[in-house]
Amino acid sequence: MDRIFSSLKKRTWWILFGYTISLFGTGLTDPFLILYLHQLRAFSLSLSGLVIGTSGFAGAVAIPISGLLIDRFGEKRAFLSALIMSALGRIAYAGASRLEWAFLAAVLSGAGAAAAWNALSVVLANLVKKTQRASIFGVAFALQNMGLGLGSAFSGLLFQTHHLIIFQMMFFCDAATYVLFTLFAYGQIEENHKQLRTRYKFDMRYFSLRTMTGHDQALLLLSFGYFVIGTVMTGITSTLFPQWVTVQARASTNIVGQAFLANSIVIVLGQVIVLKIMKNKRRTRVLAASVFIFAAGYSMIFISGFAHSKAASLALISALSVTAVGETLLFSTVPALANELAPMQAKGRYNSVINTAWQMDAIIGPMVTGIGLGMHQDERLLLLSIMYSIRYTSSICVSSILVSPVIIGILNG
């Protein structure tokens, strides 16, 4: 633990501290956003859901645009601009008495947060050595969960459906955390002027079919796998799991909250152990292990649906604890791989590809799973998820033997 953390520079820790503060602010507001829009602002549930969905789509559009801006103007300018946009979006939510203001707030918040994360990926990758990239993304993922969890817990104590002013103050506090993060980042991120001059030579050949390199092909394969894994994962956790707990397993809704709490605790406390295990391991093997662990967790969820209530409750909580280990492996490995593949003049675009893949997961996963649940196909959805995870694990293991040595060398880091 001490060796992993002590190797990071002081300014890296300041940026991670600012990131945690901003996620604490997000935790204050996001879990109760639909209640705010519906119960405090009197929008219908369908319109409230549409506002929240608009935020996700705005993020999906903003990520590739931010990638281009990063390569054109540098990650510092793009990052600070995105943070300010996020702060403005949270302020707009506080004053969203009319529907058009709510949609404006959703666009600013969604686009700003997604663009900021995309730029932060480049910032973190440039702050550390190549061998530390898995560690820095793993630490960032753990701090993200800690900030969101603490913010959500604090907000849950204060939120009241009949006090509008309280939640408006939460939005202002959320905006303030983004401003604080901007101040931290402004003083700690240093622009490499030599690299910036290279970026000014704006080259649009990247991802052109005629000039696609082995690195580009590896990135697209990695992004496609990341997209499918993420679609399965977000669909199960955000949509299928709560339904499975209450209907199939006939357990209390409290089990849903306890399972997600256990998931967050394992991610935060287990990150250091996972990083030590990953050290000197091939990235492709770590990726395969993460998907195999997902399959194990999903199998526990499936089996719990046919167990007695007490045994089912324990299995369901344990299942999300198991998938948390897979998450720490996945989110430490994939961003690090993308940045190792990226040429210096295309880091923004490479990160935008991998982050867009993940952003689309959060939109498509719940949507597809919701349709499946509406057709009463919950058991088949879960079985298909388990089968895909096992198959993808096998594919990674086989490809590490059969695929060309050039691509293997790229992916294995």
Side-chain angles (χ1 to χ4, degrees), residues 233-288:
M233 186 175 70
T234 55
I236 287 179
T237 55
S238 67
T239 308
L240 189 147
F241 183 76
Q243 176 78 2
W244 187 268
V245 169
T246 55
V247 177
Q248 183 69 31
R250 296 174 184 172
S252 167
T253 53
N254 290 333
I255 299 300
V256 178
Q258 292 176 27
F260 279 105
L261 177 61
N263 178 271
S264 296
I265 291 173
V266 171
I267 289 172
V268 173
L269 299 182
Q271 188 67 63
V272 175
I273 299 173
V274 167
L275 290 174
K276 284 187 175 181
I277 294 172
M278 286 176 57
K279 190 175 181 181
N280 300 323
K281 299 290 191 302
R282 287 186 174 182
R283 300 286 168 79
T284 45
R285 292 178 181 176
V286 174
L287 183 58

Side-chain angles (χ1 to χ4, degrees), residues 69-92:
L69 294 177
I70 290 166
D71 292 335
R72 182 65 177 87
F73 300 106
E75 62 268 19
K76 184 174 182 177
R77 296 180 187 179
F79 184 41
L80 299 180
S81 299
L83 290 176
I84 295 300
M85 184 186 296
S86 298
L88 292 175
R90 308 322 269 183
I91 293 172

Side-chain angles (χ1 to χ4, degrees), residues 98-346:
R98 298 171 61 180
L99 189 60
E100 52 266 35
W101 274 101
F103 277 112
L104 175 63
V107 171
L108 290 174
S109 296
W117 167 246
N118 193 47
L120 181 62
S121 299
V122 180
V123 170
L124 293 177
N126 288 340
L127 280 173
V128 297
K129 300 175 182 177
K130 181 179 178 180
T131 54
Q132 294 178 306
R133 282 176 180 161
S135 298
I136 193 69
F137 284 110
V139 171
F141 180 60
L143 293 176
Q144 171 189 327
N145 279 270
M146 184 175 72
L148 286 171
L150 291 175
S152 300
F154 185 76
S155 182
L157 296 174
L158 298 179
F159 181 78
Q160 297 180 34
T161 56
H162 55 281
H163 283 166
L164 174 63
I165 188 66
I166 292 178
F167 211 71
Q168 285 179 309
M169 291 304 298
M170 288 185 187
F171 276 119
F172 284 117
C173 289
D174 190 2
T177 63
Y178 278 104
V179 174
L180 283 174
F181 194 13
T182 304
L183 296 176
F184 281 126
Y186 181 80
Q188 301 301 327
I189 301 174
E190 296 178 357
E191 240 7 317
N192 188 317
H193 297 288
K194 183 178 179 180
Q195 294 175 0
L196 195 57
R197 284 195 297 271
T198 303
R199 289 192 185 109
Y200 281 153
K201 299 175 182 178
F202 199 57
D203 189 355
M204 290 300 295
R205 72 179 179 84
Y206 291 98
F207 310 124
S208 166
L209 292 177
R210 290 180 299 175
T211 59
M212 189 171 288
T213 67
H215 286 256
D216 300 333
Q217 294 169 13
L219 177 71
L220 294 179
L221 287 172
L222 179 67
S223 300
F224 178 74
Y226 193 41
F227 166 74
V228 180
I229 294 169
T231 299
V232 171
M233 186 175 70
T234 55
I236 287 179
T237 55
S238 67
T239 308
L240 189 147
F241 183 76
Q243 176 78 2
W244 187 268
V245 169
T246 55
V247 177
Q248 183 69 31
R250 296 174 184 172
S252 167
T253 53
N254 290 333
I255 299 300
V256 178
Q258 292 176 27
F260 279 105
L261 177 61
N263 178 271
S264 296
I265 291 173
V266 171
I267 289 172
V268 173
L269 299 182
Q271 188 67 63
V272 175
I273 299 173
V274 167
L275 290 174
K276 284 187 175 181
I277 294 172
M278 286 176 57
K279 190 175 181 181
N280 300 323
K281 299 290 191 302
R282 287 186 174 182
R283 300 286 168 79
T284 45
R285 292 178 181 176
V286 174
L287 183 58
S290 70
V291 184
F292 181 78
I293 292 171
F294 284 133
Y298 299 155
S299 298
M300 293 174 64
I301 295 173
F302 183 80
I303 294 170
S304 69
F306 306 96
H308 297 294
S309 57
K310 287 186 178 180
S313 299
L314 181 60
L316 289 165
I317 294 172
S318 300
L320 287 201
S321 300
V322 170
T323 59
V325 178
E327 290 177 52
T328 58
L329 292 173
L330 181 70
F331 293 116
S332 299
T333 303
V334 175
L337 271 172
N339 279 279
E340 288 173 15
L341 292 169
M344 181 53 65
Q345 65 269 36

